[in-house]
Amino acid sequence: AQSVTQPDIHITVSEGASLELRCNYSYGATPYLFWYVQSPGQGLQLLLKYFSGDTLVQGIKGFEAEFKRSQSSFNLRKPSVHWSDAAEYFCAVGLSDSNYQLIWGAGTKLIIKP
Amino acid sequence: EAGVAQSPRYKIIEKRQSVAFWCNPISGHATLYWYQQILGQGPKLLIQFQNNGVVDDSQLPKDRFSAERLKGVDSTLKIQPAKLEDSAVYLCASSSRRGFNEQFFGPGTRLTVL
């Protein structure tokens, strides 16, 4: 069955430090991959997506993600976090053979230390 | 451009009562989604509409949940009767068309069933 795993429930980083959030997926076909962010009191917002081509994709707010087919991973990175990045981050995989449904991970809550 | 609107933002009911949620998508968006997000989990798709037709309701508990989008714009999601396990945030999202286009999310309705 298709699934998305985000192994870290919480991650704490200092402001200005680098960040990597992990995402692994299980899906037999070509994956369509997404990262969304959910800030407190706000709706989910798309950070970036990967469909094909260059495996390193750039998104909004200075985020990037790298697709590694051999590892079934799509990790999210940012070189230097800001206090405003504190939020919950969700990875999702799109099922091209099932009405374009998204399967979501459980999310990783990012906490920023001053 | 106005975002996705949802109401109410919060609702507390007793089990076996009924409840309805309303969603107004971004103007012109043909595709509308309802998700259930239980605490500590990612969103789970309940139903997907394309204009006023249902594309996918395979994960909708049809014995108690119903949804409609009569004129292809606003949508309502109803639970009747509610169970304790229905306590969750109900998210509405819209996108310009079917496929893996960006989904724009509303702020959600937090339902507590006592």
Side-chain angles (χ1 to χ4, degrees):
Chain A
Q2 306 92 347
S3 65
V4 177
T5 302
Q6 293 180 248
D8 303 303
I9 299 174
H10 300 102
I11 279 190
T12 301
V13 299
S14 298
E15 190 169 15
S18 64
L19 169 71
E20 183 169 26
L21 301 183
R22 296 182 290 164
C23 172
N24 293 94
Y25 66 90
S26 172
Y27 183 47
T30 301
Y32 295 78
L33 298 161
F34 305 81
W35 275 99
Y36 277 79
V37 61
Q38 190 172 38
S39 299
Q42 298 186 26
L44 283 152
Q45 180 184 23
L46 180 67
L47 282 176
L48 46 79
K49 61 187 178 186
Y50 170 78
F51 285 2
S52 63
D54 192 345
T55 56
L56 184 64
V57 294
Q58 303 297 319
I60 62 171
K61 305 185 180 188
F63 285 91
E64 66 178 26
E66 186 172 12
F67 169 55
K68 293 185 177 180
R69 184 183 298 275
S70 61
Q71 298 177 21
S72 298
S73 69
F74 188 54
N75 293 349
L76 182 71
R77 301 194 295 247
K78 187 170 184 177
S80 175
V81 299
H82 185 262
W83 64 266
S84 60
D85 294 325
E88 191 152 21
Y89 292 79
F90 291 89
C91 179
V93 62
L95 308 184
S96 56
D97 55 356
S98 184
N99 289 319
Y100 304 101
Q101 184 180 158
L102 296 186
I103 301 297
W104 297 75
T108 297
K109 186 171 184 178
L110 175 62
I111 300 164
I112 307 295
K113 283 193 303 186
Chain B
E1 174 179 81
V4 177
Q6 290 188 247
S7 67
R9 293 293 309 275
Y10 305 91
K11 189 74 176 179
I12 300 174
I13 61 172
E14 301 276 337
K15 61 183 179 183
R16 292 188 289 272
Q17 286 187 322
S18 302
V19 65
F21 313 127
W22 173 82
C23 173
N24 187 290
I26 291 173
S27 177
H29 278 193
T31 310
L32 185 146
Y33 311 81
W34 282 103
Y35 289 91
Q36 180 192 59
Q37 187 177 17
I38 293 172
L39 186 64
Q41 299 180 20
K44 182 183 88 170
L45 179 69
L46 292 175
I47 189 166
Q48 179 187 163
F49 290 95
Q50 181 69 14
N51 296 308
N52 61 349
V54 175
V55 172
D56 185 349
D57 63 358
S58 57
Q59 298 187 93
L60 186 74
K62 297 180 187 64
D63 57 335
R64 298 184 299 106
F65 286 65
S66 63
E68 60 183 12
R69 193 184 184 200
L70 291 175
K71 296 183 179 179
V73 181
D74 293 9
S75 177
T76 55
L77 176 70
K78 296 178 182 178
I79 308 176
Q80 178 178 1
K83 293 185 175 182
L84 296 177
E85 58 261 36
D86 298 332
S87 293
V89 176
Y90 291 84
L91 301 170
C92 179
S94 70
S95 64
S96 56
R97 58 185 187 277
R98 262 187 89 194
F100 292 129
N101 304 290
E102 180 174 0
Q103 294 185 26
F104 294 84
F105 284 80
T109 297
R110 182 176 297 277
L111 173 67
T112 302
V113 182
L114 302 176

